[in-house]
Amino acid sequence: KENTFVSGWTNLLLFLNFIIAYRYLQGCFYITPSSEDPVDHWGDLLDLFIGIEILLINIYIVYAVNYRKPNAVFWATRFAAYMLICNTLLLFADIDIFIIICIVINIATLLYFKKSANIREIIPMEFRKVSKWDKVIFAVAAGLPFVLFIVLLVWVFITFSE
């Protein structure tokens, strides 16, 4: 740990991912529902939940990389792939320059944590470990927004079909 350092590229990518998380969270506070329809409010709450989740996971990834935790690469790569999938799905709904920038940053982060010599140096392959709890927590964190979104869609369908 003393003879290795986290490179500027690593810190830059972590910072950019943190900015993306902040931007998602910031967007939740500027959305005002166009009506008094409860669907708008539940959608805003879902956006807020996802924004907080993204921010907290990014904070943990920055901590794990800088303190060379054995699960740091697992969290960074899986989360970058997860965000890449989410942003690609968002791109189908709304073509926005911010989403395109997010996709580029997600791809760069994923490739960097998979291929970088600096990452292999600060967190060697033989040191990396992923616990069962890491996998369970990631699955819940990745799956919960989708489950909540599906519940919201079903609720909307039931509410408006009456």
Side-chain angles (χ1 to χ4, degrees), residues 3-75:
N3 61 353
T4 61
F5 68 98
V6 178
S7 76
W9 287 111
T10 306
N11 285 323
L12 176 65
L13 284 171
L14 292 173
F15 177 73
L16 290 174
N17 279 292
F18 185 76
I19 294 298
I20 290 171
Y22 173 75
R23 175 74 191 265
Y24 272 102
L25 191 59
Q26 180 188 22
C28 297
F29 295 111
Y30 292 107
I31 296 172
T32 56
S34 58
S35 68
E36 291 301 317
D37 188 3
V39 174
D40 290 337
H41 298 293
W42 285 109
D44 292 345
L45 285 175
L46 181 61
D47 289 344
L48 180 64
F49 173 79
I50 293 170
I52 291 170
E53 180 185 56
I54 292 170
L55 187 64
L56 291 175
I57 291 172
N58 270 298
I59 289 170
Y60 178 75
I61 291 170
V62 169
Y63 163 79
V65 169
N66 283 305
Y67 286 92
R68 288 136 172 103
K69 298 293 179 187
N71 62 354
V73 175
F74 167 82
W75 276 97

Side-chain angles (χ1 to χ4, degrees), residues 94-114:
D94 180 26
I95 297 178
D96 183 18
I97 190 68
F98 174 70
I99 296 172
I100 294 170
I101 291 169
C102 289
I103 289 172
V104 170
I105 292 170
N106 296 145
I107 291 170
T109 303
L110 186 60
L111 291 175
Y112 185 80
F113 274 88
K114 286 281 193 187

